[in-house]
Amino acid sequence: MSAIGYWVALDSPVSTERIARLGYDYVCLDLQHGLIGYDGMVRGLMAIDAAGLSKGYVRVGANTPLEIGRALDAGAVGVIVPLVDTVEDTVRAVASSKYPPHGFRSYGPMRSGLRIGPVPAAADAAVECFVMIETPAGLANVEAICAVPGLTGVYVGPSDLCLAVGGAYPGDPAVADVFAAALTRIRAAAAAAGVAVGIHTSGGTDAAGRLAEGFTFASISSDLTHLEQAAAEHLRAAR
């Protein structure tokens, strides 16, 4: 079954709660490129939990035990880890999301203990860890990355991946064929390893197309982008 998520870039718990009430399978708070700090992450995860319908994911800012551990302690069900190049990077991400003996996550569940755990084995079984395939090295190593034990899945950052395959800018039509081939390779690697494979998309139509291609989950745009688009459309209509 395919999963559809929504991307949140704004530190706005009230609007995040409303989005989480719509029925998305997950809502992801972006701490890499979004305008959200630690306090905003906690508030955002509480808003997602209050809605009671969506899983709360966090794209962490970096592949470190501190970033991953803080997101999970704050109550994230899953983490998306950016800029992963190698098997070693992937092992570090997975280990950062699991308690000993399977990893080196420090025990201090805070909010997560209310829902996920607090028994370490239960937390390890429930937490989802995804790594991003978006760099030349990540693409080159994607088969080995997907085979890392404990990994939930991989997630394509299409803007960076387009640059990684030689695009001059995200969506560069000059590399459309090589970009499509890269997506096919990533999907095949994930399928062979039996892990999930997701991608960021510009909207619902784009997401439906990617799911039809074989991606198992897709994230839709962002609250900031949609706020601007809606305001611009109303301005055009009024004028």
Side-chain angles (χ1 to χ4, degrees), residues 9-208:
L10 296 174
D11 182 357
S12 175
V14 172
S15 59
T16 296
E17 182 182 24
R18 288 197 168 227
I19 289 166
R21 287 170 55 86
L22 296 176
Y24 284 95
D25 296 297
Y26 64 90
V27 174
C28 185
L29 307 177
D30 187 1
L31 268 71
Q32 183 190 23
H33 293 304
L35 306 173
I36 305 172
Y38 177 78
D39 290 345
M41 175 181 68
V42 174
R43 290 190 293 266
L45 289 170
M46 292 177 72
I48 295 167
D49 287 348
L53 296 175
S54 305
K55 294 179 180 179
Y57 286 175
V58 170
R59 176 164 72 172
V60 296
N63 185 9
T64 68
L66 175 63
E67 294 262 357
I68 293 171
R70 292 187 94 189
L72 295 176
D73 287 352
V77 173
V79 289
I80 298 175
V81 183
L83 300 172
V84 167
D85 290 331
T86 65
V87 166
E88 291 75 17
D89 290 344
T90 309
V91 169
R92 182 182 308 112
V94 172
S96 297
S97 71
K98 296 185 181 298
Y99 293 113
H102 304 294
F104 42 73
R105 178 181 173 188
S106 176
Y107 188 80
M110 300 301 171
R111 280 202 71 247
S112 65
L114 301 175
R115 299 179 299 104
I116 310 169
V119 178
D124 286 351
V127 163
E128 301 171 19
C129 180
F130 305 91
V131 299
M132 295 192 70
I133 304 297
E134 55 183 346
T135 66
L139 179 61
N141 294 318
V142 66
E143 290 82 9
I145 286 171
C146 286
V148 169
L151 183 70
T152 307
V154 292
Y155 185 76
V156 175
S159 294
D160 281 325
L161 184 63
C162 185
L163 300 181
V165 298
Y169 51 86
D172 186 353
V175 296
D177 289 344
V178 67
F179 179 75
L183 295 185
T184 298
R185 178 178 178 181
I186 294 166
R187 289 197 306 269
V195 298
V197 55
I199 189 168
H200 199 89
T201 68
S202 61
T205 301
D206 186 15

